[in-house]
Amino acid sequence: MDKTYRSIFISDVHLGSKDCKAGHLNNFLKHNTCESLYLIGDIIDAWKIKENKWRWKQSHTNVVRRVLSHAKHGTKVVYVLGNHDEFLRPYLHYGLGFGLLEITNQCEHVGADGKRYLITHGDLFDGITRLAPWLSILGDKAYDFVLALNSRFNWFRHRLGFGYWSLSLYLKQRVKRAIDFMFQFEKNLAGYCKKKGYDGVICGHIHKAEIKEIDGVVYMNDGDWVESCTALVEHHDGRWEIISWTQENDNVVNDTNSSTPKRSNGHSSTNDDGVS
């Protein structure tokens, strides 16, 4: 069943990289519409595009066309820049925008609950990105290696009759614990929001979808479209929900010029009862 939300938040798509799940995202945007669509950073992966000598897949173009189609049909689309698409940041002073897309470094979203949420990719609050950019690039290389290893690992699991298991996510979660201890990414964000009077923050960057409360501030991360294929959605009644999208193709003609689909059966969701 197709769904309409008040707002949809996605980030870390990494268009231009070989691991981007562009087909899944295109299918998600086909079957889910909203009043406001927020693209919260690392939508275009300029790092990988440069490495791949500007190779670009048709499926990635389809995602861009799908987003523009939503904007054309009345959806408010806001593109918040991240570290992988930071090449656009120098042009923000000139009022950069692409047609109906608003491009910014960060912005504010007022929820149906009346609360004020800071929307930022999150790289500006990441100690590694700020203090040691070279280490961030090295980590990106290591992540690519683990993703490649993960593909081979799951090929063997499939041959043996086992289901998918994310080696990269397993390792990343354990590395993340050490990073959080040293740089306190989430606490930095929550502390900043509390200081500025925001009720919560919506971000990406660390590829881990989550809804929780930190020191009285609502922290929400919409995940990524490289591994987990998750989005954060706001219902019209003010409820927040993380959606995992498992479907890449369906029996609907893949018309990227239309944002009004006919059928969907690849939706799964996770509710967080702690935030409403």
Side-chain angles (χ1 to χ4, degrees):
M1 180 183 295
D2 306 328
K3 289 200 172 185
T4 299
Y5 300 97
R6 185 173 187 266
S7 306
I8 294 178
F9 306 81
I10 61 175
S11 72
D12 299 277
V13 180
H14 294 276
L15 294 172
S17 70
K18 63 182 178 63
D19 297 302
C20 167
K21 299 295 190 299
H24 289 76
L25 178 56
N26 187 44
N27 190 266
F28 170 78
L29 292 174
K30 175 190 290 186
H31 296 294
N32 296 273
T33 58
C34 57
E35 296 174 7
S36 300
L37 173 62
Y38 291 92
L39 312 174
I40 315 181
D42 287 2
I43 304 301
I44 299 174
D45 195 329
W47 297 6
K48 291 297 182 293
I49 292 175
K50 185 176 180 180
E51 290 176 9
N52 297 335
K53 298 181 180 179
W54 295 94
R55 294 175 184 171
W56 187 269
K57 298 179 181 178
Q58 180 61 43
S59 60
H60 297 189
T61 299
N62 292 343
V63 170
V64 175
R65 293 178 62 192
R66 181 72 62 185
V67 170
L68 293 175
S69 178
H70 276 269
K72 181 180 178 181
H73 286 81
T75 300
K76 174 187 175 183
V77 181
V78 181
Y79 187 170
V80 178
L81 300 178
N83 52 308
H84 282 256
D85 41 27
E86 64 182 356
F87 70 97
L88 293 172
R89 280 177 172 160
Y91 303 100
L92 289 176
H93 300 291
Y94 304 100
L96 177 66
F98 291 106
L100 301 173
L101 272 72
E102 175 188 345
I103 301 179
T104 183
N105 225 13
Q106 64 181 35
C107 62
E108 176 183 319
H109 173 74
V110 179
D113 53 13
K115 294 182 178 180
R116 297 171 57 234
Y117 297 91
L118 171 68
I119 300 181
T120 178
H121 178 63
D123 59 301
L124 300 178
F125 298 85
D126 182 350
I128 289 182
T129 301
R130 290 175 57 198
L131 302 178
W134 63 270
L135 189 57
S136 178
I137 295 174
L138 180 62
D140 187 64
K141 297 286 187 183
Y143 185 48
D144 287 343
F145 172 77
V146 173
L147 284 176
L149 183 62
N150 184 64
S151 297
R152 290 169 175 78
F153 175 74
N154 276 284
W155 182 84
F156 283 109
R157 283 181 60 87
H158 179 70
R159 297 280 294 188
L160 295 173
F162 295 103
Y164 179 83
W165 184 75
S166 180
L167 172 64
S168 53
L169 181 60
Y170 174 82
L171 295 174
K172 182 173 61 178
Q173 287 176 337
R174 276 142 187 80
V175 173
K176 176 183 174 297
R177 292 176 185 174
I179 293 175
D180 280 349
F181 178 78
M182 296 174 62
F183 300 99
Q184 302 183 42
F185 170 79
E186 296 170 351
K187 290 184 178 179
N188 286 344
L189 271 170
Y192 177 83
C193 288
K194 195 167 187 177
K195 181 179 178 180
K196 295 295 183 179
Y198 290 105
D199 299 294
V201 61
I202 302 172
C203 64
H205 189 52
I206 59 174
H207 293 210
K208 187 177 188 300
E210 197 166 16
I211 299 177
K212 62 183 179 181
E213 187 172 303
I214 303 175
D215 195 20
V217 175
V218 179
Y219 169 89
M220 293 186 280
N221 195 303
D222 56 18
D224 70 280
W225 290 85
V226 175
E227 291 182 87
S228 59
C229 295
T230 54
L232 174 70
V233 299
E234 178 191 21
H235 293 266
H236 287 90
D237 60 5
R239 289 181 298 114
W240 294 92
E241 181 183 7
I242 293 173
I243 292 179
S244 297
W245 196 259
T246 59
Q247 188 168 321
E248 182 176 5
N249 299 303
D250 52 32
N251 61 347
V252 180
V253 176
N254 188 21
D255 175 16
T256 55
N257 287 318
S258 171
S259 62
T260 307
K262 300 298 182 183
R263 202 185 88 175
S264 170
N265 58 8
H267 166 275
S268 64
S269 63
T270 302
N271 284 312
D272 190 302
D273 296 331
V275 179
S276 62

